[in-house]
Amino acid sequence: MASLKSFSLFAALTDEQDKRFSKMARISDFGENELVLDYDDESHNVFLIQSGRVRVILRIATGREVILGEFSDGEFFGELAAIDGTTRSANVTAMVNTRLLTLPRSAFLSILREAPDVSLQLMRSMSALIRSLNTRLAEHSFLPAKYRLYSELIRLSKPRKGHDSQRIVTPPPIQLELAERIGCRREVVSREIAKMEREKVVERSRGGLILADMGELNRRLSEGWNAGGD
């Protein structure tokens, strides 16, 4: 039996609560690219990721897709439908072999009623998500595609070991996925990254896309905000 307390969301549970509620959860395995949840699904379970990674995608009427986010080990998703009882608002697909702990809505709501510290942790997580979505909404409202690309690359990157002034996006980002993240055509991303390579702002390597000149990248992003999206 998996322990809910092994997930940060439920770390505040007592041992008794953990034992009681963990019995209500079940383990599910999903293969790479396998659908976990679909848009308008009427289930209301909450999913906790024991291992693996999932991607959340919104499909719009024209057939285009927007990547809303990704979740990996120790994280959770599905809480919105569990809280308000409505249908799923997005598609969730496993990116790699993924093991999920599925918690029924009734158990999830009982935990929130019994354990105020878990409810507080959930509110903190949702606050962070709302702040992140607000930032992306502002970018889509005010910034042209190339500036949204700069911002997304910075968001996806991590410090490059041995190079204090640089960051790296690893594994190398797929241009179509970058386009789906920022809501534009793949050709726009391809053209802008090629231009950034010529200007030595980014570099390609086997390990990833190197953000070689962070000062210039941040300057360009500030320029975009100061221009107000003109």
Side-chain angles (χ1 to χ4, degrees), residues 12 14 23 60 105 112 200 203 211:
T14 66
K23 289 180 179 177
I60 59 178
R105 182 192 187 205
L112 297 185
K200 310 294 186 186
E203 300 173 5
L211 309 188

Side-chain angles (χ1 to χ4, degrees), residues 68-132:
L68 298 181
E70 296 170 359
F71 298 100
S72 56
D73 297 17
E75 297 183 303
F76 62 94
F77 60 94
E79 73 281 6
L80 296 182
I83 291 171
D84 63 18
T86 59
T87 57
R88 303 292 182 178
S89 57
N91 165 294
V92 181
T93 301
M95 299 176 65
V96 297
N97 291 337
T98 298
R99 172 161 287 188
L100 301 177
L101 195 64
T102 305
L103 187 66
R105 182 192 187 205
S106 57
F108 180 67
L109 295 180
S110 293
I111 290 173
L112 297 185
R113 296 186 184 101
E114 286 189 30
D117 286 343
V118 173
S119 297
L120 181 58
Q121 180 59 38
L122 177 64
M123 286 190 284
R124 287 172 176 153
S125 296
M126 295 182 74
S127 294
L129 177 61
I130 291 169
R131 291 178 188 276
S132 174

Side-chain angles (χ1 to χ4, degrees), residues 157-161 163-164 166-168:
S157 69
K158 61 183 180 181
R160 188 186 181 202
K161 188 175 181 180
H163 299 78
D164 293 341
Q166 296 181 346
R167 297 178 68 86
I168 186 169

